Amino acid sequence: MTEAKLIDGKAAAATLQRRVGDGVAGLIGRGGPTPGLATVLVGADPASQVYVRSKARLAAELGMASFDFRLDEAIAEAELLAVIDELNGDERVHGILVQLPLPAHIDTTQILMAIDPAKDVDGFHPFNVGRLGTVAPRAPLDFPVPCTPLGVSMLLQDTLGKLAGCNAVVIGRSNLVGRPVAQLLLRADCTVTIAHSRTRDLAALGRTADILVVAIGRPELVRGDWIKPGATVIDVGINRVPAADGKTRLVGDVAFDEAVKVAGHVTPVPGGVGPMTVACLMFNTLQEARRASGLKFSAAD
Ligand code: NAP
Protein backbone atom coordinates (compact mmCIF):
# COMPACT_ATOMS: atom_id res chain seq x y z
CA MET A 1 0.00 0.00 0.00
CA THR A 2 1.39 3.44 -0.89
CA GLU A 3 1.07 6.23 1.62
CA ALA A 4 -0.59 9.53 0.81
CA LYS A 5 1.63 12.44 -0.22
CA LEU A 6 1.80 15.17 2.40
CA ILE A 7 0.61 18.61 1.41
CA ASP A 8 3.30 20.83 2.91
CA GLY A 9 1.50 23.97 4.08
CA LYS A 10 4.69 25.43 5.57
CA ALA A 11 6.48 25.28 2.23
CA ALA A 12 3.44 26.63 0.36
CA ALA A 13 3.11 29.48 2.85
CA ALA A 14 6.83 30.31 2.52
CA THR A 15 6.44 30.45 -1.28
CA LEU A 16 3.36 32.69 -1.01
CA GLN A 17 5.16 34.96 1.45
CA ARG A 18 8.08 35.32 -0.95
CA ARG A 19 5.62 36.19 -3.71
CA VAL A 20 3.98 38.78 -1.47
CA GLY A 21 7.37 40.25 -0.50
CA ASP A 22 8.28 40.55 -4.20
CA GLY A 23 4.84 42.04 -4.87
CA VAL A 24 5.33 44.67 -2.15
CA ALA A 25 8.72 45.66 -3.61
CA GLY A 26 7.24 45.71 -7.11
CA LEU A 27 4.33 47.92 -6.06
CA ILE A 28 6.62 50.41 -4.33
CA GLY A 29 9.00 50.27 -7.31
CA ARG A 30 6.16 51.33 -9.62
CA GLY A 31 5.43 54.35 -7.44
CA GLY A 32 2.58 52.68 -5.54
CA PRO A 33 2.03 52.90 -1.81
CA THR A 34 3.72 50.80 0.87
CA PRO A 35 1.00 48.31 1.81
CA GLY A 36 -0.15 48.95 5.37
CA LEU A 37 -1.79 46.50 7.76
CA ALA A 38 -3.49 47.73 10.93
CA THR A 39 -4.07 45.16 13.66
CA VAL A 40 -6.56 45.95 16.38
CA LEU A 41 -6.50 43.93 19.59
CA VAL A 42 -8.99 44.58 22.37
CA GLY A 43 -7.98 43.20 25.77
CA ALA A 44 -4.97 41.16 26.82
CA ASP A 45 -5.81 37.55 25.88
CA PRO A 46 -2.34 35.91 25.67
CA ALA A 47 -3.15 33.74 22.61
CA SER A 48 -4.58 36.75 20.73
CA GLN A 49 -1.49 38.78 21.65
CA VAL A 50 0.73 36.11 20.13
CA TYR A 51 -1.36 35.97 16.91
CA VAL A 52 -1.42 39.74 16.50
CA ARG A 53 2.30 40.07 17.20
CA SER A 54 3.19 37.40 14.65
CA LYS A 55 0.98 39.03 12.00
CA ALA A 56 2.55 42.45 12.61
CA ARG A 57 6.06 40.95 12.53
CA LEU A 58 5.45 39.12 9.25
CA ALA A 59 3.96 42.25 7.67
CA ALA A 60 7.14 44.15 8.56
CA GLU A 61 9.34 41.32 7.25
CA LEU A 62 7.56 41.48 3.89
CA GLY A 63 8.19 45.23 3.61
CA MET A 64 4.74 46.38 4.68
CA ALA A 65 3.91 49.10 7.18
CA SER A 66 2.33 47.74 10.30
CA PHE A 67 0.09 49.70 12.66
CA ASP A 68 -0.55 48.08 15.97
CA PHE A 69 -3.53 49.09 18.15
CA ARG A 70 -3.77 47.58 21.66
CA LEU A 71 -6.98 48.71 23.28
CA ASP A 72 -8.28 48.32 26.78
CA GLU A 73 -10.63 45.39 27.44
CA ALA A 74 -13.21 47.89 28.80
CA ILE A 75 -13.23 50.11 25.70
CA ALA A 76 -16.73 51.32 24.78
CA GLU A 77 -18.13 50.11 21.44
CA ALA A 78 -18.41 53.74 20.27
CA GLU A 79 -14.70 54.29 20.95
CA LEU A 80 -13.74 51.17 19.02
CA LEU A 81 -15.96 52.31 16.14
CA ALA A 82 -14.12 55.64 16.20
CA VAL A 83 -10.76 53.80 15.87
CA ILE A 84 -12.09 51.83 12.88
CA ASP A 85 -13.42 55.03 11.34
CA GLU A 86 -10.00 56.66 11.66
CA LEU A 87 -8.30 53.64 10.05
CA ASN A 88 -10.87 53.64 7.23
CA GLY A 89 -9.82 57.21 6.44
CA ASP A 90 -6.06 56.64 6.78
CA GLU A 91 -4.45 56.34 3.33
CA ARG A 92 -1.45 54.49 4.78
CA VAL A 93 -3.71 51.62 5.87
CA HIS A 94 -4.87 49.08 3.23
CA GLY A 95 -5.92 46.29 5.55
CA ILE A 96 -7.70 46.37 8.91
CA LEU A 97 -7.66 43.26 11.03
CA VAL A 98 -9.75 43.23 14.21
CA GLN A 99 -8.63 40.24 16.26
CA LEU A 100 -11.60 38.10 17.31
CA PRO A 101 -13.16 37.25 19.69
CA LEU A 102 -14.09 40.71 21.00
CA PRO A 103 -15.26 41.20 24.61
CA ALA A 104 -18.91 40.31 25.19
CA HIS A 105 -20.07 43.95 25.61
CA ILE A 106 -19.06 44.73 22.01
CA ASP A 107 -21.28 43.77 19.08
CA THR A 108 -18.86 41.98 16.74
CA THR A 109 -21.17 42.33 13.72
CA GLN A 110 -21.34 46.12 14.16
CA ILE A 111 -17.56 46.31 14.31
CA LEU A 112 -17.01 44.10 11.24
CA MET A 113 -19.63 46.08 9.32
CA ALA A 114 -17.87 49.33 10.18
CA ILE A 115 -14.68 48.27 8.37
CA ASP A 116 -14.39 49.71 4.87
CA PRO A 117 -15.03 46.64 2.60
CA ALA A 118 -11.98 47.68 0.57
CA LYS A 119 -9.81 47.29 3.71
CA ASP A 120 -11.54 44.16 5.02
CA VAL A 121 -8.56 41.83 4.68
CA ASP A 122 -10.30 39.14 6.75
CA GLY A 123 -13.15 39.07 4.21
CA PHE A 124 -15.82 39.01 6.94
CA HIS A 125 -17.75 42.15 5.94
CA PRO A 126 -21.23 41.16 4.70
CA PHE A 127 -20.52 43.03 1.45
CA ASN A 128 -17.52 40.81 0.72
CA VAL A 129 -19.37 37.70 1.97
CA GLY A 130 -22.08 38.58 -0.56
CA ARG A 131 -19.55 39.05 -3.35
CA LEU A 132 -18.07 35.62 -2.67
CA GLY A 133 -21.58 34.16 -2.61
CA THR A 134 -22.41 35.62 -6.02
CA VAL A 135 -19.08 35.41 -7.86
CA ALA A 136 -19.41 33.79 -11.28
CA PRO A 137 -17.59 30.51 -11.98
CA ARG A 138 -13.91 31.17 -12.75
CA ALA A 139 -14.37 34.95 -12.39
CA PRO A 140 -11.49 36.81 -10.75
CA LEU A 141 -11.58 37.30 -7.00
CA ASP A 142 -11.22 41.08 -7.04
CA PHE A 143 -12.31 41.48 -3.43
CA PRO A 144 -10.94 40.10 -0.13
CA VAL A 145 -11.70 36.46 0.66
CA PRO A 146 -11.40 34.97 4.18
CA CYS A 147 -7.82 33.88 4.78
CA THR A 148 -8.15 30.24 5.88
CA PRO A 149 -10.56 29.31 3.04
CA LEU A 150 -8.31 31.11 0.55
CA GLY A 151 -5.36 29.10 1.89
CA VAL A 152 -7.35 25.87 1.49
CA SER A 153 -8.20 26.67 -2.11
CA MET A 154 -4.59 27.61 -2.91
CA LEU A 155 -3.32 24.32 -1.44
CA LEU A 156 -5.88 22.39 -3.50
CA GLN A 157 -4.96 24.22 -6.68
CA ASP A 158 -1.23 23.67 -6.05
CA THR A 159 -1.86 19.97 -5.40
CA LEU A 160 -4.39 19.11 -8.09
CA GLY A 161 -4.15 21.86 -10.71
CA LYS A 162 -7.62 22.25 -12.15
CA LEU A 163 -10.43 21.25 -9.79
CA ALA A 164 -13.24 21.25 -12.38
CA GLY A 165 -15.65 18.34 -12.08
CA CYS A 166 -14.30 17.07 -8.74
CA ASN A 167 -16.81 15.98 -6.12
CA ALA A 168 -15.98 18.07 -3.06
CA VAL A 169 -17.43 17.44 0.37
CA VAL A 170 -16.92 20.18 2.96
CA ILE A 171 -17.68 19.07 6.52
CA GLY A 172 -18.46 22.18 8.61
CA ARG A 173 -20.61 25.17 7.66
CA SER A 174 -19.13 28.02 9.72
CA ASN A 175 -18.93 31.50 8.23
CA LEU A 176 -15.23 31.46 9.06
CA VAL A 177 -14.28 28.30 7.17
CA GLY A 178 -16.86 25.83 5.81
CA ARG A 179 -19.15 28.15 3.85
CA PRO A 180 -16.45 30.26 2.19
CA VAL A 181 -14.46 27.10 1.33
CA ALA A 182 -17.58 25.71 -0.35
CA GLN A 183 -18.09 28.96 -2.32
CA LEU A 184 -14.48 28.91 -3.52
CA LEU A 185 -14.77 25.28 -4.64
CA LEU A 186 -18.03 26.02 -6.44
CA ARG A 187 -16.32 28.90 -8.24
CA ALA A 188 -13.56 26.44 -9.20
CA ASP A 189 -16.20 24.21 -10.87
CA CYS A 190 -16.34 21.48 -8.21
CA THR A 191 -19.61 19.77 -7.39
CA VAL A 192 -19.95 20.75 -3.75
CA THR A 193 -21.78 19.18 -0.82
CA ILE A 194 -21.72 20.93 2.56
CA ALA A 195 -22.15 18.66 5.58
CA HIS A 196 -22.68 19.54 9.24
CA SER A 197 -23.69 18.10 12.59
CA ARG A 198 -27.16 17.08 11.33
CA THR A 199 -25.93 15.35 8.18
CA ARG A 200 -26.90 11.65 7.96
CA ASP A 201 -24.19 9.05 7.38
CA LEU A 202 -21.19 11.34 7.09
CA ALA A 203 -18.90 8.37 6.51
CA ALA A 204 -20.75 7.32 3.34
CA LEU A 205 -20.85 10.92 2.15
CA GLY A 206 -17.13 11.29 2.82
CA ARG A 207 -16.42 8.28 0.60
CA THR A 208 -18.00 10.10 -2.38
CA ALA A 209 -15.46 12.92 -2.15
CA ASP A 210 -12.55 13.44 -4.52
CA ILE A 211 -11.79 16.44 -2.29
CA LEU A 212 -12.65 16.24 1.40
CA VAL A 213 -12.29 19.43 3.45
CA VAL A 214 -12.90 19.02 7.17
CA ALA A 215 -13.45 22.02 9.49
CA ILE A 216 -15.41 20.92 12.53
CA GLY A 217 -13.21 21.23 15.63
CA ARG A 218 -13.67 17.57 16.69
CA PRO A 219 -10.37 15.74 17.25
CA GLU A 220 -9.86 12.95 14.71
CA LEU A 221 -13.57 12.48 14.06
CA VAL A 222 -13.00 11.63 10.39
CA ARG A 223 -11.64 8.08 10.13
CA GLY A 224 -9.77 6.34 7.35
CA ASP A 225 -12.88 4.49 6.17
CA TRP A 226 -14.66 7.83 5.54
CA ILE A 227 -12.14 8.58 2.80
CA LYS A 228 -12.27 7.52 -0.85
CA PRO A 229 -9.01 5.85 -1.92
CA GLY A 230 -6.80 8.45 -3.60
CA ALA A 231 -8.84 11.44 -2.40
CA THR A 232 -7.30 14.77 -1.42
CA VAL A 233 -7.96 15.53 2.25
CA ILE A 234 -7.61 18.99 3.74
CA ASP A 235 -7.80 19.00 7.51
CA VAL A 236 -8.53 22.50 8.82
CA GLY A 237 -9.11 21.42 12.42
CA ILE A 238 -6.75 22.39 15.21
CA ASN A 239 -7.46 20.59 18.48
CA ARG A 240 -5.32 20.36 21.59
CA VAL A 241 -5.59 16.94 23.22
CA PRO A 242 -3.79 15.21 26.10
CA ALA A 243 -0.56 13.48 25.08
CA ALA A 244 0.92 10.25 26.48
CA ASP A 245 3.68 12.16 28.33
CA GLY A 246 1.12 14.11 30.37
CA LYS A 247 1.56 17.19 28.15
CA THR A 248 -0.71 18.13 25.23
CA ARG A 249 -0.40 17.85 21.46
CA LEU A 250 -2.20 19.26 18.42
CA VAL A 251 -4.34 17.04 16.24
CA GLY A 252 -6.68 17.75 13.38
CA ASP A 253 -10.28 16.73 12.73
CA VAL A 254 -9.02 13.78 10.66
CA ALA A 255 -7.37 10.65 12.08
CA PHE A 256 -4.11 11.32 10.27
CA ASP A 257 -2.52 7.88 10.73
CA GLU A 258 -5.54 6.26 9.09
CA ALA A 259 -5.97 8.93 6.40
CA VAL A 260 -2.42 8.55 5.08
CA LYS A 261 -3.14 4.90 4.29
CA VAL A 262 -6.15 5.74 2.09
CA ALA A 263 -5.88 9.28 0.72
CA GLY A 264 -3.82 10.38 -2.27
CA HIS A 265 -2.85 13.66 -0.59
CA VAL A 266 -3.39 14.87 2.96
CA THR A 267 -2.49 17.93 5.03
CA PRO A 268 -0.74 17.33 8.35
CA VAL A 269 -1.72 19.12 11.57
CA PRO A 270 0.25 21.16 12.43
CA GLY A 271 1.99 22.28 9.24
CA GLY A 272 -0.92 22.06 6.79
CA VAL A 273 -3.59 24.73 6.51
CA GLY A 274 -2.43 26.74 9.56
CA PRO A 275 0.64 28.43 8.02
CA MET A 276 -1.37 29.42 4.92
CA THR A 277 -3.81 31.53 6.93
CA VAL A 278 -1.39 34.26 7.93
CA ALA A 279 0.33 34.18 4.51
CA CYS A 280 -3.08 34.79 2.90
CA LEU A 281 -3.65 37.74 5.22
CA MET A 282 -0.46 39.28 3.82
CA PHE A 283 -1.60 38.42 0.28
CA ASN A 284 -4.96 40.12 0.88
CA THR A 285 -3.25 43.24 2.24
CA LEU A 286 -1.00 43.44 -0.82
CA GLN A 287 -3.99 42.97 -3.13
CA GLU A 288 -5.93 45.80 -1.44
CA ALA A 289 -2.90 48.10 -1.64
CA ARG A 290 -2.59 47.26 -5.36
CA ARG A 291 -6.26 48.05 -5.93
CA ALA A 292 -5.92 51.32 -3.99
CA SER A 293 -2.92 52.28 -6.15
CA GLY A 294 -4.98 52.29 -9.36
CA LEU A 295 -2.07 50.52 -11.15
CA LYS A 296 -2.77 47.49 -13.35
CA PHE A 297 -1.56 44.00 -12.36
CA SER A 298 -1.87 40.69 -14.16
CA ALA A 299 -3.16 37.51 -12.46
CA ALA A 300 0.42 36.16 -12.54
CA ASP A 301 1.83 39.10 -10.50
P1 NAP B 1 -17.23 26.18 14.23
O1 NAP B 1 -17.65 27.58 14.00
O2 NAP B 1 -17.38 25.60 15.60
O3 NAP B 1 -18.04 25.26 13.21
C1 NAP B 1 -17.94 23.87 13.26
C2 NAP B 1 -18.77 23.25 12.19
O4 NAP B 1 -18.58 21.85 12.27
C3 NAP B 1 -20.27 23.50 12.33
O5 NAP B 1 -20.84 23.74 11.06
C4 NAP B 1 -20.80 22.21 12.93
O6 NAP B 1 -22.10 21.85 12.50
C5 NAP B 1 -19.84 21.20 12.35
N1 NAP B 1 -19.73 20.03 13.22
C6 NAP B 1 -19.44 20.00 14.54
N2 NAP B 1 -19.45 18.74 15.00
C7 NAP B 1 -19.76 17.96 13.94
C8 NAP B 1 -19.94 16.56 13.78
N3 NAP B 1 -19.80 15.71 14.81
N4 NAP B 1 -20.25 16.11 12.56
C9 NAP B 1 -20.40 16.95 11.53
N5 NAP B 1 -20.25 18.28 11.62
C10 NAP B 1 -19.94 18.77 12.82
O7 NAP B 1 -15.71 25.95 13.84
P2 NAP B 1 -14.77 26.71 12.77
O8 NAP B 1 -14.50 28.09 13.23
O9 NAP B 1 -15.29 26.48 11.40
O10 NAP B 1 -13.42 25.87 12.96
C11 NAP B 1 -13.37 24.49 12.68
C12 NAP B 1 -11.99 23.96 13.04
O11 NAP B 1 -11.02 24.62 12.23
C13 NAP B 1 -11.57 24.22 14.48
O12 NAP B 1 -10.77 23.14 14.93
C14 NAP B 1 -10.69 25.46 14.38
O13 NAP B 1 -9.72 25.54 15.41
C15 NAP B 1 -10.04 25.22 13.05
N6 NAP B 1 -9.57 26.44 12.38
C16 NAP B 1 -8.31 26.42 11.87
C17 NAP B 1 -7.83 27.52 11.19
C18 NAP B 1 -6.46 27.48 10.62
O14 NAP B 1 -5.86 28.49 10.38
N7 NAP B 1 -5.94 26.30 10.36
C19 NAP B 1 -8.62 28.67 11.04
C20 NAP B 1 -9.92 28.63 11.53
C21 NAP B 1 -10.40 27.51 12.20
P3 NAP B 1 -23.42 22.72 12.86
O15 NAP B 1 -23.35 23.91 11.97
O16 NAP B 1 -24.52 21.79 12.54
O17 NAP B 1 -23.28 23.06 14.32
Side-chain angles (χ1 to χ4, degrees):
M1 190 185 294
T2 54
E3 287 224 324
K5 292 202 177 84
L6 288 195
I7 299 174
D8 186 345
K10 265 195 200 161
T15 303
L16 179 59
Q17 283 168 25
R18 270 196 302 279
R19 226 181 98 199
V20 171
D22 291 348
V24 169
L27 177 60
I28 296 168
R30 287 175 62 185
T34 300
L37 174 66
T39 54
V40 179
L41 174 62
V42 180
D45 175 60
S48 295
Q49 282 179 337
V50 172
Y51 293 143
V52 167
R53 210 179 300 128
S54 70
K55 287 165 186 171
R57 195 187 311 123
L58 182 58
E61 270 171 37
L62 299 181
M64 298 187 188
S66 157
F67 306 91
D68 217 0
F69 290 78
R70 306 292 173 100
L71 307 173
D72 194 88
E73 175 94 31
I75 190 172
E77 190 174 297
E79 270 182 88
L80 181 54
L81 285 169
V83 171
I84 305 285
D85 197 40
E86 200 182 311
L87 294 173
N88 283 340
D90 188 334
E91 284 185 0
R92 298 167 306 162
V93 172
H94 304 96
I96 302 171
L97 176 132
V98 177
Q99 185 67 36
L100 302 180
L102 289 168
H105 68 277
I106 291 176
D107 182 340
T108 301
T109 307
Q110 287 306 318
I111 300 301
L112 295 181
M113 282 177 58
I115 297 172
D116 178 348
K119 299 189 178 189
D120 169 39
V121 279
D122 258 338
F124 294 154
H125 191 290
F127 182 74
N128 290 321
V129 174
R131 293 185 78 180
L132 182 58
T134 52
V135 71
R138 302 173 298 283
L141 292 170
D142 52 2
F143 52 89
V145 171
C147 300
T148 301
L150 184 59
V152 168
S153 85
M154 286 180 178
L155 288 178
L156 282 169
Q157 255 143 24
D158 281 357
T159 305
L160 297 174
K162 286 210 180 311
L163 309 182
C166 287
N167 282 342
V169 172
V170 181
I171 312 184
R173 57 176 162 181
S174 71
N175 292 330
L176 187 64
V177 190
R179 284 173 202 238
V181 165
Q183 298 289 4
L184 287 169
L185 294 178
L186 199 56
R187 170 185 167 273
D189 291 324
C190 292
T191 304
V192 183
T193 306
I194 307 176
H196 46 78
S197 65
R198 307 292 170 95
T199 298
R200 293 200 193 113
D201 203 350
L202 268 175
L205 183 65
R207 285 191 292 272
T208 67
D210 305 309
I211 293 171
L212 182 62
V213 181
V214 190
I216 53 183
R218 301 279 179 273
E220 302 184 322
L221 184 86
V222 174
R223 315 305 307 189
D225 63 359
W226 296 30
I227 297 168
K228 177 175 170 175
T232 301
V233 179
I234 306 286
D235 186 355
V236 185
I238 303 177
N239 309 287
R240 194 164 281 286
V241 297
D245 58 4
K247 295 186 181 157
T248 60
R249 65 191 179 103
L250 290 182
V251 298
D253 291 340
V254 177
F256 180 81
D257 293 347
E258 297 178 20
V260 283
K261 295 186 183 129
V262 189
H265 295 87
V266 61
T267 53
V269 175
V273 175
M276 286 301 283
T277 298
V278 64
C280 285
L281 175 69
M282 302 302 139
F283 175 78
N284 280 350
T285 306
L286 169 63
Q287 292 297 77
E288 291 320 308
R290 283 172 165 171
R291 283 192 263 280
S293 75
L295 297 166
K296 291 263 175 288
F297 294 88
S298 75
D301 280 320

